Amino acid sequence: MSWPNQSTLSELFALGLILPPFVALLALGSWGFLVRIPRERTVAAWVRACFTIWLGSTLALGILLELKSATDPFILVSFGHWFEAEHYGFGLSLRVDRLSGVFSALTAVIGGLIGRFSYTYMHREPGFFRFFLLLLLFTSGMNLLVLAGSIDLLFAGWELVGLSSVLLIGFFHERATPVESALRAFVTYRVFDTGLLVGAVLLHHFAHTADFESAFGAAHWPLGTSHLDAFAATVVAVPLIVGAMGKSAQFPASGWLPRAMEGPTNSSALFYGALSVHAGVYLLLRLGPLLEVSPIARVFIGAVGLATALYGSTVGRVTADAKGQLAYATMAQVGVMWVEIALGLQTIVLVHVVGHAFLRTWQLLRTPSLIHDAHHAGLKEIWHPDRRGHVLEGLLSEELRGRLYALATARFYLDDLIDLRIVQPVLALAERVRRLENRWMALLTGGPLGDENTSIAPQSAAAFSRKERAPQAGEGAPR
Amino acid sequence: MSLIHVSVLPFLVLLPAAAAALLALGVSPRISRAVALGTTATALAIGLTLGGMLLLEDLTALRGAPELGMSSLFSLELDRLSLPFLWVVLASGFVLVLSAPRREQTRAGLVILLTTESALVLLLLARDFRLFLLGWFVSLVPLLGLGSRRLVSRAGLVFAAAATIPLLAVLVVAGLSPSDDTFEIGQLGAGLLSPERSSTLLLLVTGAYVVRQGIFPFHSWVRASLQTNASLASTSFLVSFSGAYFMARAGRPLFAEVGADGLAWLPWLHSLTAVLGVLLALGGRSLRELVAGMSIAFSAFLGLGVSTAEALGAAGAAVQVLTYGLGLSGLRLCISSLEARVGTTDFDSLGGVILSAPALAAAFVVTGLASVGLPGFLGFVGEDILVHGLLEANPAVAALMVGSTALAAIAFLRAFTRVFLVRRAGGPVLLDLLPRERAGLAVIIAALLGFGLFPGVLF
């Protein structure tokens, strides 16, 4: 019996990274929909098995990567095409290099950690099952995102990460605020993701490929050379940067991040402290060769990052709640990472990401117990007012400080402006179109066509077959 | 072997028609439902088998009934173009009968549903334009009661006439051709001596398509049919996207012959319709209005694909036929299940439905997101291909489509949050989905997911 060769092992371990969360998600989801909600222990067993396989596969791929060569640390696993139509094909390839390896390991370690933490933290919560389904959806998406060998596959992972993030922000769906925050995040994601989709299509158009390997040359991260000229590189890079802005909560798409703290603390730590918020940074790091030939794109990244860092640190200083402060601090740090990317300090960014992810995870997981500590140890024992930054404040005049304070407490009116100039006009237009349409239909049908025609008497309880009785009091309790 | 003859093809047309006739004779409601379920299930099984044969054996077409000695007028054919449309019609018929609330499954309702299914299948399989016309006319029956709960209404007659008159004119113009294949639907007008006549034919085909597909300014029938006359048959008619099929079958060959320059406005009309649809979905005040707006937008997206000169766009549209057809059927089932329990789908009357009906909420959100391109489901595949195809033909229109899809997703999730989330005082308490309702929705979700994960079987 011979040992499988390195290529077969790579494929096996790559599948070990990608498949387990998908399989667990499908199995648990189908069981929950068609049969009944599984018990907590069953869910935990599936999740534990997933993360064990995943962590093992990550370690194995890391070892393979090291064994391969110190000068060429790169494994490309291709499974052919997901689908092909006419001359177009959607490549299904996974890429393990220094960049994706680090992000994949980060995802496995922090994901596993949060999974274990959540098992206790979410115990007997009505949404226990839903939380873990969404955790699996997120890890599936994050895996695809960081291991994707093409921009198309990266987009698929990107969308899954966004959706799971939105559904977790609205986890406590009985209250209005989390639901509104989730909707806000979804709108931001969806609008800015359009940039990513357009960028992906433009990469096809200019580079005639979606594979990072073909588009960015044979050398591997952080090296690599784009074959596109400066104009094409800029045209492709700018929409992709716009896509990254949404996920990384960069100015002016930053309003959703503090609101996202409405979700469970453990998911906030995973998404907005550790992984999801760094997805935009990952994309920009991956686009390194493209940015090399496009100074305009780098200036754009630097400007956005700088604006976000200033905005996040200013607003964060006047934010009253702990999770909100952490959200703004995260935003500001990610802004700094964007500036580092603009300056070409890619390796430093990678170190920055890893350190920042672990720090924020710890801080966010620690937040709920602050109240407990304050209660038991006394506020003075745990509260040490931060005196740093006062030197900088002293450089500003009192009047300017006052104005800045007022602006910061109003979050620079950013969300209000977006609501006033974009959201409300679109909704008003939709309402106007609806009214016109109703009038037109009334003209055609000779009667009103509106809400009054759509309501019908509910079906009587007896009309339902097996088990179809009238709803009893208390029947609305969630299963 | 590129083409084989099969004798079961006519059964796809005759079986639902015979069942409809049996039901019309008068049987008990219970037997009616059993007959309808058996018929639609058998038809779906035959359709899946034939489709599987076509795809797995890499055939161009399956042809039926030539051995019966009938003239070419009655010749039927199933090819790769008609296959996704056929699967949608058969699958939606089956799940509607399986899972729709009992009160919608009256004997009359089932008779019309089966008749419509038979007519739609005839339309999709007919090789001769005159036979196609028969299917086209008969399948318009559910539209006749548009805007009212009656069988025939003024608006219904207007729309039916608008969809029919251009086709009668097509019949006349195509009849002027001296060719032997005058009425072969894929070669309408072949051999017409004057280019003007061919252009006229293309305009007439486009006219009939625009009305039947619900493209602006003829989009209103989609909204009216979903809001007031949402019978099982009208849903089957809606998701068949037979207008798009007609354009792909008869219009695209004419593009090649005449040139598409005269129809340069068509992509913009589609874009306008798509934007209008998503605005109607966004401004809607009930789930019915939401789904109506999304249907209009989906019709326009399909239209963009089938009317583009790029083959990639047409391939994307073929995939999206399955996505939108199955997705809209699923959404329609969720809405009618909800309405059967609480009597309304208005946002102002609902809220927190997920608390008492989590399975209904899960089915609704998964089906809806699958329709707007959630990765892993078929919609992602179709949207990706369609956008790439459109980009090659018209980048501005492709950008508009991407924006419209994003807005459709926002409208959908906004509606979901208003109906299913946030507990409100006095909110409805209802029973969750019944096993038969879950089964129908599970079939739809499994199909969207299965084809989404393994889309290669479709190409």
Side-chain angles (χ1 to χ4, degrees), chain B residues 224-240:
Chain B
S225 98
L226 272 167
Q227 272 186 254
T228 53
N229 186 30
S231 64
L232 298 179
S234 69
T235 306
S236 182
F237 175 80
L238 179 76
V239 301
S240 70

Side-chain angles (χ1 to χ4, degrees), chain B residues 331-418:
Chain B
L331 290 176
R332 160 73 170 75
L333 279 178
C334 290
I335 289 176
S336 53
S337 296
L338 179 66
E339 205 169 38
R341 287 157 169 80
V342 291
T344 182
T345 64
D346 293 348
F347 299 152
D348 292 340
S349 316
L350 296 168
V353 169
I354 194 173
L355 293 169
S356 46
L360 175 61
F364 184 80
V365 77
V366 171
T367 315
L369 290 174
S371 307
V372 291
L374 179 66
F377 289 91
L378 190 58
F380 180 79
V381 176
E383 193 185 319
D384 192 60
I385 299 174
L386 193 52
V387 168
H388 278 91
L390 287 177
L391 185 88
E392 290 171 14
N394 192 334
V397 166
L400 266 173
M401 190 206 148
V402 170
S404 305
T405 312
L407 210 55
I410 291 169
F412 173 77
L413 206 78
R414 184 167 173 258
F416 172 76
T417 59
R418 293 172 79 174

Side-chain angles (χ1 to χ4, degrees), chain B residues 63-107:
Chain B
R63 198 162 284 173
E67 67 278 14
L68 299 179
M70 293 178 176
S71 76
S72 62
L73 172 67
F74 297 104
S75 180
L76 302 177
E77 184 178 283
L78 175 66
D79 61 7
R80 283 168 183 256
L81 172 60
S82 49
L83 184 62
F85 293 90
L86 180 77
W87 275 356
V88 163
V89 168
L90 298 177
S92 92
F94 169 66
V95 295
L96 286 172
V97 174
L98 175 66
S99 300
R102 293 281 190 235
R103 90 157 129 224
E104 291 186 37
Q105 299 188 20
T106 58
R107 195 161 54 87

Side-chain angles (χ1 to χ4, degrees), chain A residues 64-347:
Chain A
L64 274 181
L65 203 65
E66 281 304 312
L67 285 176
K68 201 171 173 232
S69 158
T71 53
D72 186 27
F74 171 74
I75 296 171
L76 184 70
V77 183
S78 179
F79 299 102
H81 283 103
W82 184 1
F83 53 87
E84 285 174 288
E86 304 296 329
H87 54 275
Y88 170 69
F90 189 112
L92 205 58
S93 61
L94 303 177
R95 180 189 174 98
V96 186
D97 57 11
R98 281 185 179 138
L99 178 62
S100 57
V102 168
F103 267 85
S104 181
L106 198 65
T107 311
V109 172
I110 295 185
L113 205 71
I114 302 265
R116 177 63 194 88
F117 179 88
S118 306
Y119 178 55
T120 315
Y121 189 75
M122 305 296 288
H123 179 52
R124 296 205 174 182
E125 272 280 340
F128 182 92
F129 173 63
R130 185 160 42 94
F131 176 85
F132 277 95
L133 274 193
L134 293 174
L135 181 72
L136 289 169
L137 181 66
F138 167 74
T139 45
S140 307
M142 197 68 200
N143 259 342
L144 265 189
L145 195 160
V146 299
L147 293 170
S150 68
I151 191 80
D152 290 337
L153 199 58
L154 183 146
F155 180 71
W158 190 272
E159 290 287 295
L160 293 179
V161 167
L163 182 70
S164 53
S165 161
V166 166
L167 294 176
L168 275 169
I169 295 170
F171 185 79
F172 299 113
H173 54 73
E174 292 180 41
R175 291 188 288 121
T177 318
V179 172
E180 283 163 11
S181 301
L183 195 58
R184 182 110 195 169
F186 185 74
V187 172
T188 311
Y189 283 167
R190 205 64 201 190
V191 169
F192 282 83
D193 287 357
T194 304
L196 185 58
L197 184 58
V198 169
V201 172
L202 287 173
L203 186 66
H204 269 281
H205 183 71
F206 285 107
H208 306 292
T209 180
D211 293 339
F212 296 130
E213 174 81 353
S214 315
F216 301 151
H220 307 306
W221 197 90
L223 305 172
T225 317
S226 170
H227 304 305
L228 300 181
D229 59 35
F231 170 75
T234 307
V235 168
V236 173
V238 168
L240 293 174
I241 295 166
V242 170
M245 283 164 66
K247 202 68 99 213
S248 278
Q250 295 296 288
F251 188 87
S254 38
W256 66 268
L257 186 59
R259 293 166 193 257
M261 297 297 160
E262 290 287 347
T265 298
N266 39 348
S267 73
S268 299
L270 183 63
F271 282 79
Y272 317 117
L275 299 173
S276 171
V277 80
H278 292 122
V281 176
Y282 172 81
L283 176 63
L284 296 187
L285 287 174
R286 181 57 80 202
L287 295 179
L290 208 59
L291 303 179
E292 279 292 314
V293 286
S294 171
I296 296 175
R298 289 171 67 178
V299 169
F300 182 39
I301 292 171
V304 169
L306 191 62
T308 311
L310 289 174
Y311 173 79
S313 50
T314 312
V315 179
R317 291 172 77 84
V318 299
T319 302
D321 65 294
K323 280 180 82 178
Q325 269 197 1
L326 286 174
Y328 281 107
T330 302
M331 188 191 295
Q333 281 298 315
V334 175
V336 172
M337 289 174 202
W338 277 50
V339 174
E340 291 165 355
I341 291 169
L343 295 173
L345 308 171
Q346 292 172 321
T347 311

Side-chain angles (χ1 to χ4, degrees), chain B residues 72 128 130 174-184 187 189-192:
Chain B
S72 62
D128 190 281
R130 290 160 294 183
L176 298 174
S177 166
S179 163
D180 291 340
D181 298 325
T182 301
F183 295 112
E184 171 86 33
Q187 299 172 26
L192 278 178

Side-chain angles (χ1 to χ4, degrees), chain B residues 122-133:
Chain B
L122 179 65
L123 175 159
L124 295 171
L125 299 183
R127 290 183 66 201
D128 190 281
F129 183 61
R130 290 160 294 183
L131 198 61
F132 171 89
L133 265 182

